[in-house]
Amino acid sequence: MTPVVLEDHRFRTLTEAFGRENVHVELIDQWLPGDDRRNDALAALAAKAGLPVVASTNAHHAGPAQGRLAQSLAALHERRTLQEAVGWTGAAGTAHLRSGREMAGRLARFPGVQRATVELGRACAFDFARLDPELPGFPVPAGETEISHLRALVAAGGPARFGPRNAAARRQLAKELDVIEDLDLAGYFLIVHDIVDFCRRRDIWCQGRGSAANSAVCYALGITAVDPIHYKLLFERFLSTARDGPPDIDLDIENRRREEVIQYVYGRYGREHAAQVANVITYRPRLAIRDAARVLGYPQGQVDAFSRQTDFRSAPGADAVIPADVLSLATQLHGLPRHLGIHSGGMVLTREPIGEICPTEWARMPGRSVLQWDKESTAGAGLVKIDLLGLGMLAALHDACDLVAEHHGLRYDLATIPDGDAGVYAMLRRADTVGVFQVESRAQMATLPRLKPDHFYDLVVEVALIRPGPIQGGSVHPYLRRRAGAEPPDCPHPLMENALGKTLGVPLFQEQMMQLAIDCAGFTPAEADRLRQAMGAKRSHERVARLRERLLTGMAERGIPPEVAEDVYGKIEAFSSYGFPESHAISFAYLVYASAWLKHHFPAAFTCALLANQPMGFYSPLSLVADVRRHGVRVRGVDVNASGARPTLEPYRGPTPKPPLTAGRPQPAIRLGLETVRGIGTPQAEAIVAGQPYAGLEDFARRTGLPGPALEALATAGAFDRFGLTRRQALWAAGAFAGISAELIPGTTPGTEAPELPGMSPVEETIADLWATGTSATSHPLQHLRDRLERGGALSAARLPDVPPGTEVVVGGLVTHRQRPPTAGGVLFLSLEDETGLINVICNRPVWESQRRTALDRAGLLVHGRIERDRGATNLIATRLTPLRIGL
């Protein structure tokens, strides 16, 4: 609030506009020289106008220690440095909160102000619980109520989903429907079912996940794909009469078509009754470093360099690269709110106008309205949120199945992909999972050969295993050892058998933590649900810590030894860092299997679909293309007459009489799309496709009217090769044809004939491909260095599995990923790629910190290290890092 001194007539204007009872005069005391004089003048004006007076500090920060931070945030808001923002920030860090006693002393000469301020504060306060918003009514057939209609839909869908003679399912459905009726939530389930039905009618793939997968009603309605009866999932994890707040149903929707679904909801209920939830964006390490350096006035080049060196585990000044003042300010920024964004898909619906419940504003994106509260505030107010989440893999799987139908004559969807395929599990055990949903990361690839999955529930475990919760809780290695038979699957106490029996005595899922609290500490289902909410909250560690005494006391009363009780509490606390619900892991495991099945049987269609839905997943187009080429699929470059806007499949035409076979099936070739070319957006790519075929480069330039940079990028990518032009010839002509006038007679444009130019070498063509499209259809950069690498003793990725553990080796590759997870104690994990595969490199802190710039900045590395092998997983423990140079 900015202090403003008003004249008498301004007071009159305000009181006439808002009513005398709603206007107060504010005295602001920040211990600045002019405060007393201004406050005396305001108090005199207020007395003359007969208006009440209140007081504040106009606080911008909590205490004096945050003064510098508050000034920095104000400068960032104005897009200025601290030095440039002097006129926009306080002269001193005094705009902070003060105690009531301190304020009373400062305002003693203004009788009654303190009491008036307190009374105004009480009058402005409100309780979220008093809002009590309701969902909009759902239209049901004549003579039906919402609950009777829901019961009818479940009665119709249940037998088809569970089987007509499933007595356990019938009992569970009856129980859940009674709970839904008691909580008056039938309309909520009907609304979500209607959204899913809309997706089905429009052929938009969607799948419910999260805690909704614990519900038999959701499964019967087709909202989720997980059978909770089969997996014995805990319904109370989703909904119970003792639960505080509404249930949470998340729908994963093809990300490319999610906006259709969002607009369907807006259209059905109106923007007066529907809005999206805001999201508080907080400072992450890299952004904190960038903003700290920027506001302190460092040049942009240094700002970029600092942001690549983030490490909040070093004390300010201990890092030789990032200055102490940047580290100090960035540490204060880290975790603070930065700005208010829009939740990716959280939608709230209300019966009354939503603006009467929460302030609402039009979003920048057309057709959207946004609440000014985040998801925790909306839940506290009792607003029911439906998450419509975009998932790129669903779009890719849909595209892949369409390509399989078009090019192989076989129609599949998520429900009809054959399960239990031994070849798919063998591929997963080899960690041949580039592009496979959820199990393509470095850590997942290192775990798969050790887990050795051979049935579906192993994929559920794999999805949940490599998460901060199980890692910090010490669950990963014990589970893998027990899975391998290296230690018995014992539970620490008999009371834990019910919760941990199916995961070999090791907790992996949130539901297991709830069950442990019930069985071992005597928690009621309502208390267990509060524990779940605590584990999933933003301040999860603090909220779980409040339940510590209750947990330990309950376990002691049931005879559980203190050391075992402390271990259980430690695991529960670790899960507050991020542990998967079992139902969530099962939902994701279906997509893991579906994507692995398509990769195994139809790698061309699967990779083509991944390339068409970039950016997504863990790997770049270069890595995806290199991987599919290693699987025998031919990839063809961009062609102005053959390429679509997005990647497509073409019949195989190769030097051999038969196309390559994968899993016994011939595979078509992948043709890269025009959208991949630098400077060519979707509208330009679609316009090019609409004009195909073209007679030559001149005809292309004349009819498309593309600017010179776009023509040159296409020429660099080899898109005009079919016209008998080398890339250098096409580049020469592209410059001449750029901006060609329609008035010129065809064939008369001067300067289009190139002089005698040398052709590009294979290395130059690869570099040209990477510059123009980000990938190469025919080669990998490392294959051009292979002879030099081998002369230097470097091994390829394909040879490492045959090297005995403990052997000292050298490898070279492009860095695809750098990771320093907080659970790894300062270890840097590198993923390298060469033309034969991927290499997992582990760099302990002393190694990478002594070569920090090389480790964190270089695109290519030579790594000296020692081979480590653990039950089929091969790692390289780095001892030295050097830049990989072309002149090696």
Side-chain angles (χ1 to χ4, degrees):
M1 183 181 304
T2 302
V4 178
V5 177
L6 300 174
E7 302 294 338
D8 288 349
H9 72 279
R10 298 289 180 86
F11 280 130
R12 287 195 298 272
T13 302
L14 289 171
T15 55
E16 289 171 1
F18 298 102
R20 178 171 292 274
E21 69 280 3
N22 295 320
V23 178
H24 293 69
V25 177
E26 180 185 12
L27 308 184
I28 295 171
D29 187 2
Q30 294 180 352
W31 292 66
L32 296 176
D35 286 354
D36 287 345
R37 187 171 62 253
R38 185 190 63 249
N39 288 336
D40 287 342
L42 281 170
L45 284 170
K48 184 178 178 181
L51 294 174
V53 177
V54 295
S56 82
T57 62
N58 188 24
H60 287 250
H61 47 101
Q66 288 84 41
R68 177 76 161 173
L69 176 61
Q71 290 177 331
S72 300
L73 289 168
L76 287 166
H77 183 268
E78 297 296 331
R79 300 181 183 277
R80 299 171 187 268
T81 66
L82 274 170
Q83 186 174 0
E84 294 167 342
V86 169
W88 284 266
T89 57
T94 57
H96 57 81
L97 296 171
R98 290 183 173 82
S99 68
R101 177 177 297 179
E102 187 176 4
M103 288 297 293
R106 293 289 293 172
L107 297 170
R109 56 200 182 87
F110 298 109
V113 171
Q114 184 179 15
R115 177 178 294 179
T117 304
V118 172
E119 290 175 354
L120 178 62
R122 286 174 178 160
C124 291
F126 73 97
D127 184 355
F128 274 11
R130 294 172 57 189
L131 293 174
D132 195 24
E134 296 182 1
L135 284 167
F138 188 83
V140 297
E144 295 270 14
T145 63
E146 288 182 342
I147 186 62
S148 69
H149 185 51
L150 178 64
R151 288 182 182 276
L153 290 174
V154 170
R161 300 283 279 174
F162 291 106
R165 299 180 180 176
N166 192 328
R170 288 197 301 274
R171 288 193 299 271
Q172 183 64 27
L173 287 170
K175 171 189 170 183
E176 292 187 19
L177 286 167
D178 288 344
V179 172
I180 292 168
E181 183 173 9
D182 289 344
L183 296 175
D184 194 23
L185 285 171
Y188 175 63
F189 286 84
L190 293 173
I191 288 169
V192 177
H193 174 261
D194 176 63
I195 295 171
V196 171
D197 190 55
F198 167 80
C199 293
R200 191 176 295 115
R201 296 194 308 269
R202 293 294 186 93
D203 193 28
I204 301 172
W205 284 19
C206 78
Q207 175 176 289
R209 64 168 164 94
S211 61
N214 294 58
S215 167
V217 166
C218 286
Y219 184 66
L221 294 174
I223 294 171
T224 59
V226 176
D227 182 344
I229 308 300
H230 175 75
Y231 290 105
K232 300 179 181 177
L233 299 179
L234 185 66
F235 174 65
E236 286 72 19
R237 167 68 178 82
F238 173 62
L239 186 64
S240 73
T241 53
R243 177 169 176 166
D244 180 19
D248 187 16
I249 297 181
D250 298 340
L251 292 179
D252 283 327
I253 301 166
E254 294 182 59
N255 63 335
R256 203 170 53 237
R257 303 188 64 187
R258 183 180 59 148
E259 189 61 25
E260 295 177 48
V261 184
I262 290 174
Q263 290 306 319
Y264 170 74
V265 175
Y266 277 125
R268 185 164 178 80
Y269 299 100
R271 289 177 69 182
E272 296 81 7
H273 301 276
Q276 289 180 264
V277 180
N279 187 28
V280 178
I281 309 300
T282 57
Y283 272 102
R284 304 295 293 274
R286 180 164 293 187
L287 184 56
I289 286 284
R290 290 189 70 86
D291 274 5
R294 196 169 73 231
V295 80
L296 290 171
Y298 285 87
Q300 188 60 46
Q302 285 185 286
V303 172
D304 294 339
F306 296 160
S307 69
R308 293 193 294 268
Q309 311 291 326
T310 55
D311 186 0
F312 283 94
R313 291 170 289 278
S314 296
D319 193 303
V321 178
I322 303 176
D325 59 343
V326 175
L327 269 180
S328 177
L329 180 56
T331 303
Q332 293 181 72
L333 288 172
H334 187 215
L336 288 180
R338 185 179 189 270
H339 64 273
L340 198 65
I342 186 170
H343 187 284
S344 57
M347 297 204 71
V348 167
L349 303 174
T350 57
R351 186 184 301 269
E352 52 277 305
I354 200 164
E356 296 179 6
I357 304 296
C358 171
T360 307
E361 61 187 75
W362 267 201
R364 289 186 179 183
M365 188 170 181
R368 289 189 176 196
S369 308
V370 187
L371 300 179
Q372 294 182 358
W373 292 345
D374 70 358
K375 61 180 183 180
E376 290 194 4
S377 298
T378 56
L383 288 162
V384 178
K385 177 171 64 71
I386 302 170
D387 282 338
L388 308 178
L389 307 174
L391 188 62
M393 182 52 73
L394 274 178
L397 292 174
H398 195 170
D399 286 351
C401 287
D402 287 346
L403 288 168
V404 168
E406 179 182 353
H407 293 272
H408 297 273
L410 301 169
R411 170 55 70 181
Y412 296 101
D413 58 28
L414 292 177
T416 57
I417 287 176
D419 58 8
D421 191 306
V424 171
Y425 286 105
M427 182 187 80
L428 290 167
R429 288 193 292 274
R430 295 193 304 271
D432 181 8
T433 55
V434 171
V436 177
F437 184 66
Q438 287 286 305
V439 295
E440 60 176 350
S441 72
R442 173 208 58 78
Q444 296 280 8
M445 283 184 166
T447 305
L448 283 166
R450 299 159 65 191
L451 182 66
K452 294 182 172 56
D454 57 15
H455 61 279
F456 180 75
Y457 199 77
D458 290 336
L459 303 184
V460 179
V461 169
E462 179 69 28
V463 167
L465 196 60
I466 307 302
R467 305 286 166 184
I471 291 171
Q472 291 187 348
S475 296
V476 176
H477 295 297
Y479 184 87
L480 292 174
R481 287 195 298 269
R482 295 175 185 195
R483 167 74 189 213
E487 66 178 54
D490 293 333
C491 286
H493 192 275
L495 287 176
M496 300 178 184
E497 185 67 37
N498 179 43
L500 305 182
K502 65 180 176 182
T503 54
L504 308 181
V506 178
L508 299 179
F509 305 112
Q510 273 189 6
E511 291 93 336
Q512 290 177 300
M513 296 305 174
M514 295 173 66
Q515 196 65 54
L516 281 175
I518 291 170
D519 295 341
C520 300
F523 272 42
T524 65
E527 287 179 307
D529 189 63
R530 284 198 292 274
L531 176 63
R532 175 200 62 79
Q533 293 179 39
M535 288 191 291
K538 283 186 178 179
R539 299 180 179 272
S540 52
H541 284 284
E542 294 93 330
R543 291 183 60 177
V544 170
R546 293 177 201 148
L547 298 170
R548 172 187 169 87
E549 194 61 35
R550 170 73 178 89
L551 284 161
L552 296 180
T553 301
M555 285 187 273
E557 290 171 352
R558 284 155 185 79
I560 296 176
E563 64 276 10
V564 176
E566 286 287 354
D567 181 63
V568 170
Y569 174 77
K571 286 178 167 51
I572 291 174
E573 187 180 40
F575 265 70
S576 64
S577 295
Y578 190 62
F580 254 24
E582 184 180 15
S583 52
H584 194 128
I586 295 170
S587 298
F588 269 9
Y590 279 109
L591 302 184
V592 172
Y593 180 82
S595 55
W597 188 87
L598 285 165
K599 177 182 173 70
H600 178 66
H601 290 281
F602 303 99
F606 179 65
T607 304
C608 184
L610 292 179
L611 293 171
N613 286 278
Q614 292 297 303
M616 64 167 289
F618 205 73
Y619 292 98
S620 68
L622 174 64
S623 296
L624 294 173
V625 167
D627 178 74
V628 80
R629 289 177 62 239
R630 288 193 293 269
H631 285 76
V633 175
R634 180 139 180 204
V635 182
R636 297 172 181 154
V638 177
D639 186 305
V640 294
N641 274 352
S643 290
R646 301 194 302 161
T648 54
L649 295 182
E650 297 178 348
Y652 178 82
R653 297 186 301 275
T656 57
K658 292 183 179 180
L661 300 178
T662 299
R665 289 186 173 88
Q667 297 297 312
I670 298 173
R671 172 71 72 178
L672 297 181
L674 292 161
E675 284 181 355
T676 64
V677 178
R678 180 187 293 253
I680 304 291
T682 300
Q684 294 92 336
E686 291 175 347
I688 292 170
V689 173
Q692 293 171 344
Y694 300 95
L697 200 161
E698 180 179 7
D699 178 48
F700 178 87
R702 186 183 295 274
R703 289 202 281 134
T704 62
L706 289 174
L711 290 175
E712 290 171 355
L714 286 164
T716 304
F720 301 120
D721 287 359
R722 67 162 51 237
F723 301 137
L725 300 171
T726 67
R727 297 196 194 196
R728 286 201 169 99
Q729 290 172 331
L731 271 168
W732 181 282
F737 285 128
I740 188 172
S741 172
E743 286 79 22
L744 284 176
I745 300 172
T748 63
T749 304
T752 59
E753 291 296 325
E756 197 71 31
L757 296 171
M760 288 187 181
S761 68
V763 174
E764 290 172 326
E765 285 195 356
T766 300
I767 293 172
D769 285 339
L770 294 176
W771 178 86
T773 67
T775 188
S776 176
T778 57
S779 61
H780 189 281
L782 264 292
Q783 74 186 59
H784 302 301
L785 298 178
R786 182 51 54 197
D787 289 343
R788 299 181 194 177
L789 288 168
E790 289 186 349
R791 287 198 299 272
L795 301 181
S796 67
R799 292 178 58 185
L800 294 184
D802 299 325
V803 177
T807 304
E808 298 286 339
V809 299
V810 182
V811 300
L814 299 180
V815 180
T816 63
H817 298 88
R818 293 178 173 90
Q819 294 174 298
R820 277 184 287 161
T823 55
V827 175
L828 172 67
F829 297 98
L830 298 174
S831 294
L832 298 188
E833 179 185 73
D834 66 16
E835 76 279 19
T836 70
L838 300 168
I839 305 167
N840 188 30
V841 180
I842 300 175
C843 299
N844 292 312
R845 183 184 280 275
V847 174
W848 71 262
E849 281 202 330
S850 64
Q851 304 163 77
R852 190 184 189 96
R853 289 186 180 276
T854 297
L856 300 182
D857 288 349
R858 296 290 183 173
L861 292 175
L862 276 176
V863 181
H864 300 250
R866 183 183 72 258
I867 292 293
E868 175 191 74
R869 188 163 294 113
D870 182 5
R871 286 164 283 177
T874 300
N875 298 316
L876 181 63
I877 310 299
T879 56
R880 185 158 66 95
L881 309 173
T882 56
L884 177 61
R885 298 185 177 91
I886 295 295
L888 175 68

